[in-house]
Amino acid sequence: MSRRTAAAVLAAAAAAAVLAGCTSTAPPAENVSGGQGGPIKVSAADSSCDVATREAPAGTISFTVTNTGSKVTEFYLYATGDRIMGEVENIGPGLTRDLIVEVPDGGAYTTACKPGMVGDGIRAAFTVTGNAQRSVDQNTRLAEATAGYKRYVNSQLEALVPKTQEFADAVKAGDVAKAKALFPVSRTYWERIEPVAESFSDIDPKVDGRDDGEPGVPFTGYHRLEKDLWESGLQPDSAAMADALVADMKDLQNRVATLELTPVQLANGAKELLDEVATGKITGEEDRYSHTDLWDFKANVEGSQAAVAALRPVIDEKDKALGPLLDERFAAVDTLLEQYRVGDGFRLYTDLTDEDKKKMTDAVDALAEPISQVASVVTS
């Protein structure tokens, strides 16, 4: 689910440590800690976004974001063209969440707070000075982790494009029953790699936006076709919407081919996927017409597990207790989800009881806690 288009998280334990072997050519930057080191503090209110410093040296940059307003908010660090370097979502009033992001290249960036989680946000320029060696260039395990995860992402894209084409073909043929059956299946591959897809801020709203999204943003993509299939009936432009969805998936595949990932992105993405579950799937917000939210739930968890698996050698090297705990919590979520399986799919969200939803919330929360430690462990 796109929090940039819905009425979309990247969270990790705060750390100022630089990735192993990551050195910067820029002098240390002062922050709100009085120049003694530590994360950059951000005060995010309903009408302001106060970042303690507008400059930091290249390398691993940490932010601690406190919501001092009354609306749920988000915080982003953008590169040129609104490419998302890092984000932390779903920060409720009074809460503090942390973001760690690896920025090896100096230059002009942008910070943004998004009160209400909509719009372009309250933006300001942010400068990264000097340059830093990428952690993957200095640490073989980290390089292997990112390479392994990139292979996973590519494998999902190789399935996503043709499966989306099948779904689109069914829509264009007017075969509503077949399109309904393919809808949650084709979304599975998207949901597994959603953090990577969301890094391209122009693709995500077109593919995963909702009809109560931002004013002026066309309602297209999966959820527009979901509404056509389950609620309003196929429309004169449904075929065009289906073609556009396939084109966007092919565009995504082409862009990912040249995308350079960092270990911190893997760690943050694992947590983001769990936040997607907590804020969209468990609530029934995501697939509000088809109620196929549990398919997305399962895919998000699988994607999170894939990111953690890629980082596992690094995690085991630096924190021997964390890996087994993650295994235990992932297994608990998988076991719970299997209780709601029906054939190759799952029960509809509307069939769940309040007790079912509470069990899911508790299991995801229990998993999210150790997942939130991964970024700080990787950067230690």
Side-chain angles (χ1 to χ4, degrees):
M1 175 179 62
S2 171
R3 287 295 180 197
R4 285 166 287 285
T5 59
V9 247
L10 304 168
V18 175
L19 289 171
C22 183
T23 57
S24 173
T25 61
E30 291 188 358
N31 54 43
V32 79
S33 300
Q36 300 303 311
I40 298 168
K41 291 188 178 180
V42 180
S43 177
D46 292 345
S47 59
S48 63
C49 183
D50 297 324
V51 182
T53 179
R54 291 294 174 188
E55 182 177 298
T60 301
I61 303 174
S62 301
F63 298 90
T64 292
V65 185
T66 300
N67 185 352
T68 59
S70 61
K71 302 176 182 178
V72 177
T73 194
E74 303 170 330
F75 178 75
Y76 293 79
L77 180 67
Y78 292 108
T80 302
D82 276 2
R83 183 167 66 88
I84 299 171
M85 300 298 296
E87 60 177 308
V88 56
E89 300 181 356
N90 199 35
I91 312 170
L95 297 182
T96 296
R97 299 189 69 179
D98 303 304
L99 172 66
I100 303 172
V101 59
E102 184 179 354
V103 187
D105 300 319
Y109 294 80
T110 302
T111 59
C113 297
K114 292 190 180 181
M117 301 195 298
V118 296
D120 290 334
I122 303 167
R123 299 189 170 210
F126 188 87
T127 301
V128 175
T129 58
N131 292 285
Q133 284 192 302
R134 286 167 169 76
S135 57
V136 295
D137 293 336
Q138 292 293 303
N139 187 306
T140 301
R141 286 190 185 276
L142 293 177
E144 291 172 348
T146 55
Y149 183 70
K150 183 71 175 290
R151 288 192 294 271
Y152 172 78
V153 171
N154 286 334
S155 73
Q156 297 306 302
L157 285 165
E158 287 169 3
L160 173 62
V161 172
K163 192 57 69 173
T164 304
Q165 184 69 66
E166 287 182 45
F167 170 62
D169 289 344
V171 170
K172 292 162 64 177
D175 191 338
V176 172
K178 184 176 182 180
K180 283 183 174 181
L182 287 169
F183 173 79
V185 177
S186 63
R187 280 184 59 78
T188 292
Y189 305 101
W190 165 268
E191 292 288 341
R192 285 174 181 157
I193 61 168
E194 195 166 5
V196 175
E198 285 187 342
S199 67
F200 304 105
S201 58
D202 60 327
I203 292 180
D204 181 53
K206 292 188 291 183
V207 168
D208 214 26
R210 298 210 303 257
D211 59 353
D212 59 354
E214 299 173 18
V217 176
F219 182 34
T220 61
Y222 273 123
H223 296 302
R224 161 59 202 279
L225 292 170
E226 179 195 9
K227 185 176 183 179
D228 292 354
L229 291 166
W230 271 272
E231 182 173 278
S232 61
L234 292 177
Q235 301 296 303
D237 65 343
S238 294
M241 290 290 164
D243 283 337
L245 179 62
V246 174
D248 287 331
M249 293 309 188
K250 290 179 178 178
D251 184 20
L252 174 64
Q253 186 175 35
N254 289 334
R255 295 198 206 183
V256 168
T258 58
L259 181 66
E260 291 187 2
L261 296 170
T262 69
V264 176
Q265 284 177 304
L266 273 61
N268 286 341
K271 181 61 169 66
E272 178 184 352
L273 285 165
L274 294 185
D275 280 1
E276 287 282 347
V277 171
T279 60
K281 281 65 177 184
I282 290 177
T283 64
E285 271 186 58
E286 181 78 10
D287 300 320
R288 60 183 64 173
Y289 308 110
S290 64
H291 307 300
T292 55
D293 303 89
L294 292 189
W295 277 262
D296 290 358
F297 184 138
K298 176 67 171 176
N300 283 161
V301 173
E302 289 173 338
S304 178
Q305 195 163 14
V308 170
L311 290 167
R312 187 60 181 268
V314 182
I315 295 170
D316 288 346
E317 181 180 48
K318 297 186 176 185
D319 186 337
K320 297 187 182 304
L322 182 57
L325 179 58
L326 288 166
D327 291 341
E328 176 188 323
R329 301 288 170 83
F330 272 118
V333 173
D334 288 341
T335 299
L336 179 61
L337 272 174
E338 286 303 307
Q339 297 177 21
Y340 303 99
R341 184 174 288 283
V342 178
D344 292 334
F346 295 91
R347 289 167 56 184
L348 298 181
Y349 179 80
T350 47
D351 293 337
L352 302 181
T353 66
D354 289 342
E355 183 180 356
D356 292 328
K357 297 168 193 174
K358 184 179 187 305
K359 288 179 181 178
M360 291 182 183
T361 299
D362 291 345
V364 170
D365 287 347
L367 174 57
E369 192 280 325
I371 288 284
S372 70
Q373 301 174 34
V374 172
S376 61
V377 168
V378 169
T379 58
S380 65

